[in-house]
Amino acid sequence: MQRPSTEDLTSVEWRDTNWIERVGGFQNQQMVLDYFSMSPFWDRQCNNQILSMQTQYNDLRQPYEATLEALRKMTGIEFAVIHEQPPVWVIQKRYRRGPEPNDVNPIATYYITGANVYQSPTIYSVIANRLLTSLFHVNSAFKETQKWMDFHPAKGYSWKSSKPTSTEKAKGQQGTLRARENQEFRHWMDRAIEASALRIAQNRFVPEQTVVANTPEVGSLTSVATSSQHNNREETGGKRQRKKTDEGNINKRKKKTASGK
């Protein structure tokens, strides 16, 4: 017997929170099926719908166990709650062939989480989707590797080397040259600033030199300058004493000549 087909509604989500608030939640499996019967997943020609139409005008609605016994006596499409673990309920759409409990063929599966109703995807659709996703990534990997392949008529296929090209080398050399020029410029600028500072320190007065003498270079310059000034003073003092002694000797000679006469 050919298996009945069902519409693919895996992208549909349905809910009716007003109905749940009005009835106070799901009390039993019959209320779960009543809530599910308002969704677009319900089949209006199923055996459950036929039984509800037959008993809708009765004053006392038959219990859920009596409904299950009546469904087993019928053949065709029916809905049944196959798993119950609040807030999750699993509903199966199946085709009944006989009165035995397991004499059915599953068609589709639906589940309710809280107030939302969904259609569960089939195993075939899940595996097919995973295979398509994996093949897409494999194809992308092959396309990426083709960018790094090189072909030569004599050598065949080979991987492209990761050596930098001539333009990249030129850019790298320009960068290194600029860095060296900047370092040399900074070095000579520092030397020029130090030389100018030393010249300024040499031209300052002695009180100002003592303030600058904290650095070793300026201190050595000030010591050399003071020693040179001291030596100059000693030399000038010695010359003046010689002049005085020469004048004394001339006076003595004059006195001797005057007494001889």
Side-chain angles (χ1 to χ4, degrees), residues 159-175:
W159 296 106
K160 293 181 180 179
S161 60
S162 59
K163 295 180 180 180
T165 59
S166 59
T167 56
E168 293 178 353
K169 288 182 180 180
K171 289 181 180 179
Q173 291 177 358
Q174 289 179 0

Side-chain angles (χ1 to χ4, degrees), residues 129-181:
N129 190 13
R130 295 292 187 272
L131 288 174
L132 287 175
T133 304
S134 60
L135 290 175
F136 171 76
H137 290 295
V138 170
N139 191 16
S140 300
F142 277 115
K143 288 181 180 180
E144 187 67 23
T145 54
Q146 285 178 358
K147 297 179 182 179
W148 298 94
M149 289 171 55
D150 193 7
F151 177 77
H152 192 272
K155 298 180 181 179
Y157 287 98
S158 62
W159 296 106
K160 293 181 180 179
S161 60
S162 59
K163 295 180 180 180
T165 59
S166 59
T167 56
E168 293 178 353
K169 288 182 180 180
K171 289 181 180 179
Q173 291 177 358
Q174 289 179 0
T176 54
L177 289 174
R178 289 178 181 176
R180 290 178 182 176
E181 290 177 356

Side-chain angles (χ1 to χ4, degrees), residues 3-9 33 36-37 39-49 64 71 76-83 89-97 101 103-111 117-120 122:
R3 181 179 176 181
S5 62
T6 183
E7 186 180 0
D8 185 9
L9 299 176
L33 289 175
F36 183 78
S37 64
S39 68
F41 309 107
W42 185 258
D43 191 351
R44 302 299 174 185
Q45 297 178 357
C46 65
N47 295 335
N48 304 75
Q49 184 71 22
Y64 183 66
L71 288 173
I77 297 173
E78 66 179 19
F79 290 91
V81 178
I82 61 174
H83 180 74
W89 291 267
V90 180
I91 301 171
Q92 188 179 64
K93 181 181 180 181
R94 55 195 183 182
Y95 185 85
R96 177 165 291 280
R97 297 173 299 179
D103 196 6
V104 292
N105 290 330
I107 299 173
T109 306
Y110 308 89
Y111 60 96
V117 183
Y118 305 94
Q119 181 180 358
S120 177
T122 60

Side-chain angles (χ1 to χ4, degrees), residues 26 32 83-90 111-118:
F26 300 119
V32 174
H83 180 74
E84 181 180 3
Q85 187 176 355
V88 178
W89 291 267
V90 180
Y111 60 96
I112 301 174
T113 58
N116 301 328
V117 183
Y118 305 94

